[in-house]
Amino acid sequence: MITIAQISALLEKLILPTIQDQLFNKTVLLKYFKKNMDGVTFNNDKIYITALTSGHSWVGFTGATGAITTGKSTDQQMVVSAKYGYGSHIIWDSAIQTAKGKPGSLVSLVKKLGRDLEMEFKKSLNRQLFWDGKGTLTLIDGAGVATATQTVDSTRFLRVGQVLEVGTTAEIEAGTADEVTVATINSATSVTFTGAVTTADNDVIITKGAYNTTDSQYEELDGLSNLVSNETVDAGSSFQGIVRATNDWTNSYVDATSAVLTEAQIIDLVADVAEFGDPDLIMTTVTLQNKYSSLLASQKRFMNTVDLKGWFKGLEVSVGSQPIPMVSDYDCPAGNLFVLDTSSFSLAELNKLQYLADGSGSIMTNVYDTNGARIPAFQTTMKFYGNLVCTNPRANGKLTNKTAS
């Protein structure tokens, strides 16, 4: 007889270690950003980061008998909140009963559930690493209408059954946005919800709960789009709680001029970043990487590739003494190209990715409907607690609003 304890053991001893081992090797950023680097500490749900604000104050050549001045670098401690992510799946009792007496069928069932959840966690984390922490999945595209079927900029991050919030930023932050559930994904730009909703052009669609009205804060990870920024392009913004307007060391180099991508823009960006760091990775969109390739081809130059950690490869960008790999990622925001010193980032984890247990220690819990009635199924939930942090913002930069033509 198959028991809940046996299923739990399979999940914890067979599925979880594989997910823990593989998830953070699935994308370039998840692979490159070191976990819990030196200088990153925790206290309850707070993450403390020590950032370099100024280089060493004195290195001098004063002659054989000259005076030696004591110098030092300057640091600033910052505090950010941990973010709490969850992914759940349901195992129906009917599936458990079907698996009885069939060797391997239960293992196959839990493996599939594990793979599905691993893939979605990977997609969610990778998207968040690129974006700005506000949970935006897409925008309404078109004049305001009251209908279940809506036109959006992209359905790429939407899933059938997903519970979302739709409205202006002000409505989301006031807790008055409309709650909707995805019924069908009709096309790359069309989605149907389970009920009609009134929208306006550029209304924001976020995952339900991505903004916490109780704490008045967004709950997704901080990402490159807000960590790599400056006061000029993002007036009134802060870097990990430090106001950018009065702390120049928090301002990354950003070229936000709307223009066709050129090699000179990339070279200038790398040079600016190299003044404060050691750039080792360029991340951009497929469109802009293809544009860079065409620039090299038009000059009859070879397009060399560079091996990265793991099995990834990048297009070589030759600037300075070391080639830097350029890698495209579908989650990178359109028109963006990031030049990164990956040693200045850390994926701070309060704990390893693991299953959420109830008060008795069980990772499989009963499921109830909206009326409180028991459903013949069991739920397991995987959790991730942490955030992306940066210790040297000037060691990174980006190009925005760039096009291929």
Side-chain angles (χ1 to χ4, degrees):
M1 177 180 179
I2 297 173
T3 66
I4 298 303
Q6 289 174 320
I7 300 174
S8 297
L10 279 174
L11 288 169
E12 290 191 290
K13 296 178 181 179
L14 177 66
I15 305 304
L16 182 59
T18 301
I19 294 176
Q20 289 174 332
D21 179 60
Q22 294 182 359
L23 176 64
F24 295 96
N25 295 315
K26 291 289 189 178
T27 74
V28 174
L29 291 187
L30 287 172
K31 179 72 174 178
Y32 261 72
F33 289 161
K34 185 179 179 180
K35 296 180 185 177
N36 298 344
M37 69 191 309
D38 293 340
V40 177
T41 57
F42 304 90
N43 185 13
N44 295 323
D45 65 341
K46 300 298 182 184
I47 303 171
Y48 292 82
I49 312 107
T50 301
L52 180 70
T53 64
S54 179
H56 199 278
S57 61
W58 195 84
V59 172
F61 290 75
T62 61
T65 59
I68 299 175
T69 300
T70 300
K72 64 178 182 178
S73 57
T74 305
D75 298 324
Q76 169 89 38
Q77 189 174 72
M78 297 163 290
V79 184
V80 299
S81 297
K83 306 298 183 178
Y84 297 87
Y86 305 94
S88 296
H89 51 226
I90 287 178
I91 301 177
W92 290 93
D93 184 65
S94 58
I96 296 174
Q97 300 308 313
T98 301
K100 288 182 177 180
K102 298 179 181 178
S105 58
L106 182 60
V107 174
S108 297
L109 171 64
V110 296
K111 277 186 175 181
K112 181 183 184 305
L113 293 172
R115 285 195 303 269
D116 291 347
L117 194 54
E118 176 194 350
M119 179 177 294
E120 205 56 41
F121 245 112
K122 177 203 74 173
K123 290 178 180 294
S124 180
L125 285 173
N126 198 59
R127 172 185 60 79
Q128 293 179 53
L129 292 180
F130 276 105
W131 289 74
D132 61 1
K134 294 185 176 180
T136 301
L137 301 178
T138 190
L139 303 177
I140 296 293
D141 182 14
V145 290
T147 180
T149 299
Q150 297 280 340
T151 301
V152 295
D153 287 350
S154 171
T155 58
R156 184 161 177 260
F157 297 126
L158 305 184
R159 303 288 185 268
V160 172
Q162 198 172 22
V163 183
L164 308 169
E165 295 176 27
V166 183
T168 64
T169 298
E171 289 171 338
I172 288 171
E173 295 180 356
T176 58
D178 292 305
E179 182 178 314
V180 298
T181 301
V182 177
T184 58
I185 307 294
N186 308 313
S187 71
T189 57
S190 176
V191 58
T192 298
F193 302 122
T194 53
V197 59
T198 301
T199 62
D201 190 34
N202 288 325
D203 272 357
V204 180
I205 298 180
I206 67 170
T207 304
K208 181 184 178 182
Y211 184 81
N212 187 326
T213 55
T214 301
D215 297 332
S216 298
Q217 69 176 19
Y218 288 95
E219 297 294 353
E220 289 204 344
L221 305 186
D222 290 318
L224 294 179
S225 292
N226 67 315
L227 292 175
V228 183
S229 190
N230 63 33
E231 176 67 16
T232 301
V233 300
D234 194 7
S237 63
S238 297
F239 171 78
Q240 295 177 160
I242 305 297
V243 176
R244 284 191 168 107
T246 53
N247 294 276
D248 187 59
W249 62 270
T250 64
N251 291 294
S252 303
Y253 178 85
V254 180
D255 174 358
T257 303
S258 297
V260 174
L261 180 70
T262 67
E263 186 179 18
Q265 294 163 355
I266 300 173
I267 292 173
D268 288 345
L269 178 58
V270 172
D272 280 294
V273 168
E275 182 179 353
F276 298 99
D278 185 15
D280 60 343
L281 181 66
I282 298 174
M283 297 298 302
T284 189
T285 64
V286 173
T287 299
L288 293 185
Q289 186 185 50
N290 288 340
K291 174 62 177 179
Y292 179 70
S293 297
S294 69
L295 291 173
L296 297 183
S298 68
Q299 300 169 24
K300 295 182 172 55
R301 292 160 57 189
F302 290 108
M303 289 174 281
N304 297 320
T305 59
V306 180
D307 290 329
L308 286 77
K309 294 177 183 178
W311 57 86
F312 301 106
K313 289 184 179 291
L315 189 63
E316 179 181 290
V317 177
S318 296
V319 181
S321 59
Q322 293 290 333
I324 304 174
M326 176 188 290
V327 184
S328 62
D329 194 301
Y330 284 102
D331 288 330
C332 185
N336 280 253
L337 181 148
F338 296 92
V339 173
L340 307 173
D341 178 344
T342 59
S343 70
S344 69
F345 291 95
S346 180
L347 193 56
E349 286 184 310
L350 288 177
N351 56 260
K352 273 190 171 184
L353 187 74
Q354 58 189 258
Y355 282 106
L356 179 68
D358 65 13
S360 67
S362 175
I363 65 168
M364 296 188 67
T365 58
N366 295 335
V367 182
Y368 301 88
D369 65 17
T370 56
N371 296 316
R374 173 75 195 281
I375 295 174
F378 301 91
Q379 177 176 289
T380 62
T381 300
M382 195 164 286
K383 63 180 182 179
F384 171 86
Y385 300 163
N387 206 345
L388 179 67
V389 299
C390 179
T391 61
N392 188 359
R394 289 188 293 181
N396 305 280
K398 67 181 176 183
L399 307 176
T400 65
N401 301 316
K402 299 300 180 279
T403 60
S405 60

